[in-house]
Amino acid sequence: MVSFQYFVASSLDGYIATDKDDLAWLLQFDGFDGGQESYDAFIADVGCIVMGGETYAWLREHEPDTWPYPGTPCWVFTRHEHSAPEGANVTFVRGAVGEFVDDLKDDAGGRNIWVVGGGVLAAQFADARLLDELIVSVIPVVLGSGKPLLPMTGPTPPLELTSSRTLGRGIVELRYRFPART
């Protein structure tokens, strides 16, 4: 069964980036013990990627000569005009996330859909009761302010903790399942 998964890193106080989209606080942990293995296991089950326009613009700005997801269909929810890197399978869309569920599942080919970011887009999936799983690596850094992990419009029913594990350098990976859709 295809799952919509939000796989993300968060500061200890619940932010995925600074107010200015700076990720230096996170990038200092590149190469930590267990991190690459966790990502590799996760990405092996991903058949389609979904991201917001700001995340897409950040990737293009910080990795202008490469596309980090070759061979994987990517959908970008945006209100702005963008161009896709040569050879990348990128589709730009506008509208409510629920309008594209069947297309995303088709592109995923029976594998999972990774809601890359940002938090606002993931919250849209969660608010629409489309998000199945939250996989968050809690990084032992306090930012004080920034872009929230999951800025939803209201509280959720309790999520089910399905696993937790300690990775290197004090990082804890938590896996939560959202309540079943009714």
Side-chain angles (χ1 to χ4, degrees), residues 56 60 64-74 83-92:
Y56 180 80
R60 299 301 300 138
D65 299 326
T66 62
W67 179 242
Y69 312 112
T72 303
C74 179
S83 60
E86 190 170 325
N89 182 356
V90 178
T91 302
F92 300 99

Side-chain angles (χ1 to χ4, degrees), residues 132-157:
D132 297 302
E133 189 174 18
L134 168 63
I135 305 163
V136 60
S137 293
V138 180
I139 309 298
V141 171
V142 175
L143 297 179
S145 67
K147 306 282 176 94
L149 171 67
L150 202 55
M152 295 183 62
T153 58
T156 67

Side-chain angles (χ1 to χ4, degrees), residues 86-145:
E86 190 170 325
N89 182 356
V90 178
T91 302
F92 300 99
V93 294
R94 291 180 174 98
V97 295
E99 295 175 24
F100 299 94
V101 168
D102 291 337
D103 295 321
L104 296 170
K105 286 181 177 182
D106 286 347
D107 261 7
R111 295 167 66 201
N112 295 327
I113 298 164
W114 179 15
V115 181
V116 172
V120 172
L121 181 65
Q124 290 174 24
F125 276 90
D127 282 334
R129 299 194 53 108
L130 295 171
L131 201 57
D132 297 302
E133 189 174 18
L134 168 63
I135 305 163
V136 60
S137 293
V138 180
I139 309 298
V141 171
V142 175
L143 297 179
S145 67

